[in-house]
Amino acid sequence: MVRRIGLIGFLLIVTAGLAQNDSSCTCCTENHKAFDFWVGIWVVTNAEGSIAGENIITKQENGCILRENWTSTQKGYTGTSINFYNSAAGQWEQVWVDNSGGLLKLYGNRKENKMVMVSDEFEKEGKMLKNKITWFHNENGTVRQLWEVMEKDKQIAVVFDGLYQRK
C-alpha cells in the first residue's frame, strides 16, 4: 500500500512538472509558430519547373528557431539560415550564410498566408535597394518563395521564384 501511494505521489509530481514545462514554453506563442508552414523536407523547383534543389527546414532549440539547410542542384552550392521570432523587436529575423561567403539578413512578419521579410537598404550602382523575400503558404500545402530586389516599392529584379513541394 505504501508503495502504491509513493508511486501515485511520484506520478503526480512528474505530471505537475510536465504541465509546468508546457505552460512555460518560451517559444510556443502564435508569433513563434507563424513560420511553421515552412518546416519540412522539400524539393524546390524554379519558375521554369526545373529542380533547383532540396531544402530541409527543421525546428530546433525547443522550437525557438527554424533552421534551413539548402542544397542546390548547382554543383557545390549550399547554404543555411537561422530564422527566429525576436520578441523584443516584435518581428521575425533571418540570417543566411552560404558556402560562397554570401550573407543576407532579413526582417519581417507573417501577413495572412505569407511571411514577408526585407533586408536593410544597400547601395548598388547609385541606387538604394532592398531584398524582399516572400514565402506564400499555398492552400495545397506547397510553399512559393519569391525573392525580389526592390527600389523603394518597385520591383526591379527577381532573384528567385521557387515552388516547394514536400519530398
Side-chain angles (χ1 to χ4, degrees):
M1 179 74 161
V2 173
R3 275 182 121 175
R4 220 179 262 171
I5 292 172
L7 179 60
I8 291 170
F10 174 75
L11 290 174
L12 287 173
I13 290 169
V14 169
T15 304
L18 290 174
Q20 285 177 348
N21 287 343
D22 288 345
S23 65
S24 65
C25 178
T26 306
C27 299
C28 293
T29 70
E30 289 306 309
N31 287 329
H32 286 92
K33 296 176 184 179
F35 208 3
D36 282 3
F37 68 84
W38 196 33
V39 173
I41 300 173
W42 305 93
V43 173
V44 183
T45 54
N46 59 30
E48 293 78 38
S50 301
I51 295 176
E54 179 178 282
N55 215 351
I56 300 172
I57 316 301
T58 57
K59 289 186 83 162
Q60 297 182 358
E61 302 302 331
N62 295 326
C64 292
I65 67 168
L66 298 184
R67 177 154 186 187
E68 170 186 19
N69 288 298
W70 169 256
T71 304
S72 175
T73 55
Q74 182 182 353
K75 189 173 176 140
Y77 181 70
T78 60
T80 191
S81 73
I82 301 295
N83 304 266
F84 59 96
Y85 182 73
N86 182 337
S87 297
Q91 66 185 6
W92 271 84
E93 299 183 13
Q94 180 184 88
V95 178
W96 163 268
V97 180
D98 61 40
N99 66 343
S100 69
L103 170 69
L104 182 61
K105 294 179 183 179
L106 301 168
Y107 315 90
N109 275 302
R110 185 169 176 169
K111 298 172 185 167
E112 297 171 2
N113 71 325
K114 57 191 171 204
M115 178 64 73
V116 181
M117 291 195 220
V118 297
S119 70
D120 289 331
E121 273 191 325
F122 60 94
E123 188 271 329
K124 184 175 181 180
E125 300 173 2
K127 296 179 181 180
M128 295 307 293
L129 307 174
K130 282 187 179 186
N131 288 293
K132 176 183 176 185
I133 301 181
T134 305
W135 292 263
F136 299 85
H137 184 201
N138 299 322
E139 287 183 20
N140 65 1
T142 62
V143 174
R144 177 184 178 208
Q145 181 182 349
L146 177 62
W147 180 356
E148 305 166 280
V149 177
M150 309 293 289
E151 183 178 20
K152 298 186 177 155
D153 289 331
K154 182 182 175 196
Q155 178 198 80
I156 63 166
V158 172
V159 177
F160 182 73
D161 189 355
L163 183 66
Y164 286 64
Q165 296 176 337
R166 293 195 185 274
K167 189 169 180 179

